[in-house]
């Protein structure tokens, strides 16, 4: 996003490491270069609620930009590489570069649209229809979905057991509706 324009630290974290804890002061904003991070909120009664799962090439905890403290924990769910940006440096950069502010707003608007669409797709009861609808919604102009996370992560993103997801992909392949390659799924018309 703006990692080449704002000084940042590159953090290498292991599965189970905390990037930040609920209630800690917000001093940094984050971009997940590689891995997977769960945002988990502890409720008053001690329940742990997964609020979001960030995947590679995504920002996360964006609402913290306007907060004094983090409202959840950020826990690495896999080995991670994270770019950490000082909140003050990001704020200064955005104030002085309106084009960067507009690009960031555009990125966040796209994320909101994607999350809303994903929530709608997750409401589809049929696993087959859910997977097919997701693939159709995510392909590019060449009818290809290029992804940088695992199929297991994709299943989790869709709210499906990975075994169910794999069965649906196999069925779609057997029906000639998709072709799979490493990190690409192509829809066949």
């Amino acid at each position: 996003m703006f990692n080449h324009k704002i000084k940042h630290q590159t953090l290498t974290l292991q599965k189970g490491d905390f990037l930040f804890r609920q209630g800690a002061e917000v001093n940094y904003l984050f971009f997940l270069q590689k891995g997977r991070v769960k945002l988990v909120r502890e409720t008053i009664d001690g329940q742990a609620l997964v609020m979001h799962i960030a995947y590679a090439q995504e920002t996360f905890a964006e609402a913290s930009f306007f907060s004094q403290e983090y409202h959840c924990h950020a826990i690495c769910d896999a080995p991670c590489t994270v770019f950490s940006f000082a909140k003050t440096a990001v704020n200064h950069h955005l104030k002085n570069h309106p084009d960067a502010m507009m690009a960031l707003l555009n990125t966040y608007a796209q994320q909101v649209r994607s999350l809303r669409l994903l929530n709608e797709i997750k409401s589809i009861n049929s696993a087959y229809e859910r997977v097919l609808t997701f693939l159709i919604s995510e392909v590019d102009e060449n009818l290809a979905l290029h992804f940088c996370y695992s199929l297991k992560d994709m299943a989790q993103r869709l709210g499906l057991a990975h075994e169910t997801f794999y069965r649906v992909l196999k069925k779609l392949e057997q029906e000639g509706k998709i072709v799979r390659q490493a990190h690409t799924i192509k829809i066949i018309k």
Side-chain angles (χ1 to χ4, degrees):
M1 180 180 343
F2 38 66
N3 59 347
H4 62 288
K5 296 179 181 175
I6 301 175
K7 185 180 173 184
H8 65 277
Q9 292 181 329
T10 301
L11 308 173
T12 303
L13 303 157
Q14 300 305 310
K15 182 176 181 172
D17 287 351
F18 280 75
L19 186 58
F20 56 81
R21 292 186 185 267
Q22 186 171 329
E25 183 179 351
V26 175
N27 293 314
Y28 299 97
L29 302 173
F30 304 98
F31 177 81
L32 183 58
Q33 178 67 23
K34 178 183 159 192
R36 188 174 56 243
V37 173
K38 284 187 179 180
L39 301 180
V40 179
R41 182 175 296 168
E42 287 185 27
T43 63
I44 293 171
D45 61 353
Q47 297 293 320
L49 299 175
V50 176
M51 306 300 293
H52 180 68
I53 299 173
Y55 296 92
Q57 303 301 304
E58 292 181 355
T59 59
F60 59 95
E62 298 88 352
S64 299
F65 191 73
F66 299 101
S67 248
Q68 296 301 310
E69 63 182 40
Y70 294 109
H71 295 108
C72 60
H73 303 300
I75 306 166
C76 296
D77 197 36
C80 294
T81 303
V82 178
F83 295 158
S84 172
F85 300 88
K87 181 178 171 179
T88 54
V90 173
N91 192 22
H92 178 73
H93 181 75
L94 293 175
K95 283 181 178 178
N96 292 302
H97 297 90
D99 56 327
M101 174 69 81
M102 292 306 293
L104 184 62
L105 285 172
N106 183 45
T107 297
Y108 290 164
Q110 288 174 1
Q111 286 178 352
V112 168
R113 279 193 302 272
S114 292
L115 286 171
R116 287 178 179 162
L117 177 60
L118 185 58
N119 281 337
E120 190 65 29
I121 289 169
K122 285 169 76 171
S123 72
I124 298 170
N125 287 329
S126 161
Y128 180 91
E129 290 300 323
R130 187 184 304 183
V131 172
L132 189 56
T133 302
F134 173 75
L135 294 175
I136 290 168
S137 74
E138 295 292 312
V139 295
D140 62 18
E141 63 279 354
N142 298 314
L143 300 177
L145 167 61
H146 305 281
F147 52 96
C148 58
Y149 46 87
S150 71
L151 289 175
K152 194 171 185 176
D153 287 345
M154 192 180 295
Q156 185 176 34
R157 197 171 214 167
L158 288 170
L160 295 171
H162 63 276
E163 299 89 352
T164 302
F165 181 66
Y166 297 154
R167 279 193 300 272
V168 171
L169 286 179
K170 185 175 182 177
K171 184 172 183 180
L172 288 168
E173 277 185 302
Q174 290 170 342
E175 292 174 348
K177 293 185 178 180
I178 66 168
V179 173
R180 285 194 298 165
Q181 298 170 339
H183 296 286
T184 303
I185 299 174
K186 185 166 175 63
I187 300 219
I188 307 302
K189 285 275 182 170

